[in-house]
Amino acid sequence: MNKGIFLLLLFTFTVFSAQKPVQIAFLSDVHFQDLYGSFSDNNFKGIINPKNAKPTILRTMNSQLHSTRIFNENYFAFLKALDDIAAKGIKIVAMPGDFSDDGQAYNLRGLHKILDQYHKKYGINFYLTTGNHDPVGPFLQDAGKDDFLGQDGNPLGIYSKENMGKANNKIITKDIAESGYLEILNELGDFGFYPKKEDLYWGTPFDQGSYKDYAYEKALQNAGYSKRMYEVSKGFSVPDLSYVVEPVKGVWMMAIDGNTYIPKNLNENPDNPSNYKGASIGYNNVLTNKKHLIQWVKKITQEAKSNGKTVIAFTHYPMIDYNDGATGEIKNLLGEKKWQLERVPEEEVSKAFAEAGLQIHFAGHMHINDTGIRKIGDKMLVNVQVPSLAAYLPAYKILTIKSPDKVEVKTEVLNDVPNFDELFPLYEKEYETLQKEHTKILWNKDILKSKTYHDFMLFHLKELVRLRMIPSDWPKDLVERSKKLNGENLLLLIQDKNQLTQKGIDSRTFQKWSFEDLILDLYKFQSADELAKKDIPKERLQQYQTLEKLFEEKQSQDPFILQLKSIFKILSLLSNADPADHFEIDLKKREIKSM
């Protein structure tokens, strides 16, 4: 062995052996909205909550139950997660995007205040990267929401200028405008986007220097907004806030800005903020319009290897298909533009980043718990999907770096959150107002009976599936034909009583659940992976396995049977995936095992 390489390996082993294992907590898709914030140009501070007499700026329950995320209770979940992290003694927190509701100034200020408090009190250092909600577009743009809650229980509109929105009651404040990169950098620069003196290394994709000639003063110069621009399309320059930082000796954190804002009209003024498409598609657009990121990753991983550093990357967007091999089946059943399939990264994405040398990547965006693995030649890339605190299953991840070759990932679920029900009296008022106006009640008031945050988020998922997912994604003929069926009905579609008796199956025990339960459980597995099993009766899980097998064996060309067969195939794939709760990644052996 080359003497230099031997000494480097010996040094790296000594560093990891001597120090306490480095731990990093990942909090993704917090979607922070400052319930108790204020506007700089308007005296409105919210509506008074009768429970605590506090003025509160909140969105309606109706809006929450039609969205893939909640807007209000996640405020308390965020504080609970930070308290947990502080109690565990973790000093590094990475936030892979969508840290705010939509990058509004008052939300960014509120987030800054909380992060600063936990940094000063507990010594926690926060490292943020951008998501498609922060910023919504590359430059500041007017915006607003129709669905804040007014004191009388009716919706209240809050907009950044007059003549916007459809709400009758409205508040005008510039603080509801959607910030661009510049505003985010100015407000949250202290949380990774700029270097700090205590950082051992910090750089961007636009740096020409190397680790060995690193100097804080030079890094600070290179961190300026104007130094971090690239041409996304000819004539259109937009920012890229990616950075790499060494917060503790031996660990490089790569915060990749995966947002790719492509112009809608190439003849339009590049400074027009409304002329850019959203970034929600993620890495598929990086391959075509932001290729410099791949070259940067390759440069950093090579430099890290030469200097005995462990690279941990985090971005808002997944690098690996997160549907556990079910994407093709979902596409056949629902169609190409359903189930948010446009967000699924192409295989070329994982291939490009694996070949660039990336091994461990944490992502958000999809509000799901999942682990994806791709092995390409002698390389392996692991994509860890961090759940959202604002959706089922509310959780965050803890990474423990045991050695350069072994890391441990643990999922911390937020079952109990103090004060999660603090806003319930305001929702009661919303519901009463809807009743008085004889408006159709779209949401189920029983959600206000939730005893825990876990139960609240599970109820949110149930209502989301009922009010949005089924109507928008599922074939109407399938839903109509299935809605009155229970488990026994599904069983008897493919087996008669005699066949079931021969197999020792009692069909009557399948009567306890409906087709609606089946679809909800499908979404539980999509959202929580193996952790969904805790929220589904054990007997039903066993019955699903029976039906999966029987539908797989059934030879039929009946379109309805084929649809049901597809559902059980998807369920089987989603419920039997790679470890996603508590597991160890062995980079040397290129394997993952549950712990």
Side-chain angles (χ1 to χ4, degrees):
M1 181 185 287
N2 179 286
K3 186 179 179 182
I5 294 175
F6 173 77
L7 290 173
L8 177 62
L9 290 172
L10 182 63
F11 169 75
T12 303
F13 177 78
T14 304
V15 166
F16 274 95
S17 299
Q19 67 183 25
K20 183 183 175 185
V22 176
Q23 288 194 303
I24 305 170
F26 290 85
L27 286 174
S28 190
D29 296 86
V30 170
H31 289 284
F32 178 83
Q33 180 176 280
D34 196 357
L35 295 174
Y36 307 113
S38 60
F39 302 130
S40 62
D41 57 354
N42 192 300
N43 291 329
F44 179 76
K45 285 183 168 51
I47 62 176
I48 301 301
N49 185 347
K51 186 172 183 177
N52 55 21
K54 289 171 73 172
T56 310
I57 303 172
L58 77 160
R59 308 275 282 280
T60 64
M61 176 60 82
N62 191 54
S63 67
Q64 293 200 123
L65 296 181
H66 283 80
S67 172
T68 54
R69 66 190 192 275
I70 59 169
F71 307 115
N72 304 325
E73 285 68 30
N74 45 315
Y75 176 95
F76 306 108
F78 182 44
L79 296 179
K80 168 61 175 172
L82 291 178
D83 287 340
D84 277 1
I85 289 163
K88 288 178 170 67
I90 297 170
K91 302 300 182 185
I92 302 172
V93 173
M95 297 178 67
D98 284 4
F99 42 76
S100 72
D101 176 45
D102 268 330
Q104 304 96 331
Y106 84 102
N107 289 326
L108 296 182
R109 287 196 302 268
L111 179 64
H112 187 148
K113 183 179 177 182
I114 288 173
L115 298 185
D116 203 41
Q117 286 172 348
Y118 279 83
H119 171 67
K120 288 175 178 174
K121 187 173 182 179
Y122 300 105
I124 299 173
N125 290 309
F126 294 91
Y127 298 92
L128 277 56
T129 190
T130 54
N132 59 304
H133 283 273
D134 34 46
V136 173
F139 309 115
L140 177 70
Q141 55 189 328
D142 283 305
K145 306 285 185 186
D146 300 307
D147 54 14
F148 284 88
L149 186 60
Q151 191 70 56
D152 61 358
N154 284 306
L156 171 71
I158 303 183
Y159 311 107
S160 61
K161 67 176 184 179
E162 295 283 359
N163 304 316
M164 285 186 75
K166 58 187 180 183
N168 295 323
N169 302 319
K170 59 178 67 176
I171 301 290
I172 306 300
T173 170
K174 66 181 182 181
D175 288 353
I176 200 73
E178 294 167 348
S179 297
Y181 275 109
L182 180 60
E183 292 74 28
I184 287 172
L185 187 61
N186 287 340
E187 184 62 53
L188 299 173
D190 289 343
F191 306 108
F193 293 122
Y194 281 130
K196 292 185 236 180
K197 284 185 177 178
E198 57 265 34
D199 293 332
L200 301 175
Y201 176 55
W202 190 95
T204 78
F206 309 102
D207 289 350
Q208 299 304 314
S210 66
Y211 168 69
K212 290 187 176 176
D213 59 17
Y214 175 73
Y216 165 72
E217 292 76 13
K218 183 69 174 173
L220 194 59
Q221 289 176 10
N222 291 332
Y225 179 74
S226 62
K227 302 275 184 75
R228 300 166 81 171
M229 308 289 284
Y230 75 102
E231 201 172 56
V232 67
S233 292
K234 190 169 177 57
F236 290 81
S237 290
V238 295
D240 173 0
L241 295 192
S242 301
Y243 62 91
V244 60
V245 62
E246 185 174 4
V248 292
K249 196 169 186 64
V251 177
W252 282 8
M253 294 171 62
M254 286 192 81
I256 305 174
D257 175 1
N259 289 340
T260 310
Y261 294 107
I262 300 171
K264 300 173 187 175
N265 183 352
L266 294 176
N267 297 315
E268 182 61 76
N269 183 342
D271 295 328
N272 179 1
S274 63
N275 186 43
Y276 291 87
K277 300 175 186 175
S280 64
I281 288 175
Y283 273 107
N284 292 337
N285 284 341
V286 167
L287 292 182
T288 55
N289 292 69
K290 208 172 181 179
K291 294 178 182 177
H292 70 269
L293 282 181
I294 300 167
Q295 292 307 311
W296 178 58
V297 168
K298 188 173 184 179
K299 174 193 168 189
I300 293 298
T301 55
Q302 287 176 345
E303 200 165 10
K305 191 174 182 180
S306 300
N307 291 282
K309 311 295 181 181
T310 297
V311 175
I312 305 296
F314 63 104
T315 332
H316 187 54
Y317 305 102
M319 287 184 175
I320 293 175
D321 186 333
Y322 42 79
N323 286 322
D324 303 316
T327 293
E329 202 71 45
I330 295 167
K331 195 178 291 186
N332 290 337
L333 177 66
L334 304 180
E336 289 188 4
K337 296 186 177 179
K338 305 297 184 181
W339 198 276
Q340 301 187 85
L341 289 179
E342 71 279 0
R343 297 183 172 194
V344 175
E346 297 166 5
E347 285 302 310
E348 188 58 35
V349 170
S350 55
K351 184 173 184 289
F353 282 97
E355 289 178 345
L358 203 58
Q359 294 177 295
I360 299 174
H361 176 255
F362 286 77
H365 192 41
M366 298 312 301
H367 302 179
I368 63 173
N369 180 47
D370 182 69
T371 306
I373 305 163
R374 288 295 181 275
K375 294 178 182 178
I376 295 153
D378 62 346
K379 300 179 183 296
M380 178 177 77
L381 173 63
V382 179
N383 183 84
V384 180
Q385 284 298 131
V386 183
S388 170
L389 298 182
Y392 173 86
L393 184 73
Y396 63 95
K397 300 275 186 179
I398 296 175
L399 170 74
T400 302
I401 304 174
K402 297 177 171 180
S403 74
D405 294 323
K406 277 188 183 179
V407 301
E408 179 185 332
V409 179
K410 189 177 182 186
T411 310
E412 294 287 345
V413 180
L414 297 185
N415 289 312
D416 297 300
V417 170
N419 305 314
F420 85 94
D421 57 354
E422 190 160 301
L423 309 177
F424 284 13
L426 293 170
Y427 301 136
E428 295 272 5
K429 179 67 175 176
E430 176 190 346
Y431 195 89
E432 285 171 17
T433 301
L434 288 171
Q435 279 187 315
K436 286 176 185 175
E437 295 182 1
H438 305 290
T439 308
K440 184 180 178 183
I441 307 297
L442 291 177
W443 55 276
N444 188 338
K445 194 181 176 186
D446 286 346
I447 193 171
L448 303 182
K449 296 177 183 176
S450 301
K451 299 298 183 187
T452 66
Y453 188 63
H454 169 274
D455 293 348
F456 180 78
M457 295 315 305
L458 185 53
F459 207 115
H460 172 264
L461 178 68
K462 183 179 178 181
E463 284 292 270
L464 178 65
V465 170
R466 180 178 73 89
L467 296 172
R468 175 173 163 175
M469 298 307 186
I470 290 177
S472 64
D473 280 5
W474 289 75
K476 288 183 180 177
D477 62 324
L478 171 61
V479 173
E480 203 55 38
R481 193 167 174 184
S482 306
K483 64 183 181 182
K484 293 183 179 178
L485 301 181
N486 62 27
E488 183 181 39
N489 300 142
L490 295 173
L491 188 60
L492 293 174
L493 283 172
I494 52 172
Q495 295 276 292
D496 60 35
K497 295 276 188 180
N498 289 332
Q499 289 173 312
L500 293 172
T501 301
Q502 289 172 9
K503 290 184 172 70
I505 298 171
D506 183 356
S507 66
R508 291 170 300 177
T509 62
F510 286 64
Q511 295 174 2
K512 298 175 186 176
W513 54 271
S514 65
F515 180 78
E516 190 178 85
D517 293 324
L518 168 64
I519 299 304
L520 177 59
D521 289 344
L522 195 68
Y523 280 98
K524 287 178 191 174
F525 276 115
Q526 181 213 14
S527 302
D529 205 285
E530 62 181 285
L531 290 168
K533 292 176 182 177
K534 296 179 181 178
D535 291 318
I536 303 171
K538 191 173 180 181
E539 182 186 46
R540 192 191 303 172
L541 288 171
Q542 293 170 342
Q543 290 171 351
Y544 284 160
Q545 290 177 357
T546 299
L547 283 161
E548 286 161 14
K549 184 181 179 184
L550 293 175
F551 268 98
E552 183 62 33
E553 294 170 352
K554 179 70 175 177
Q555 298 297 315
S556 172
Q557 294 306 309
D558 182 315
F560 183 53
I561 298 296
L562 291 174
Q563 285 176 316
L564 294 173
K565 188 173 186 175
S566 191
I567 289 172
F568 282 106
K569 177 68 173 175
I570 295 166
L571 181 65
S572 177
L573 290 167
L574 293 177
S575 60
N576 293 283
D578 290 306
D581 177 15
H582 188 192
F583 54 93
E584 183 182 76
I585 304 171
D586 190 321
L587 296 173
K588 195 171 184 179
K589 292 182 179 177
R590 298 199 308 150
E591 65 181 26
I592 290 183
K593 65 177 182 180
S594 289
M595 296 185 70

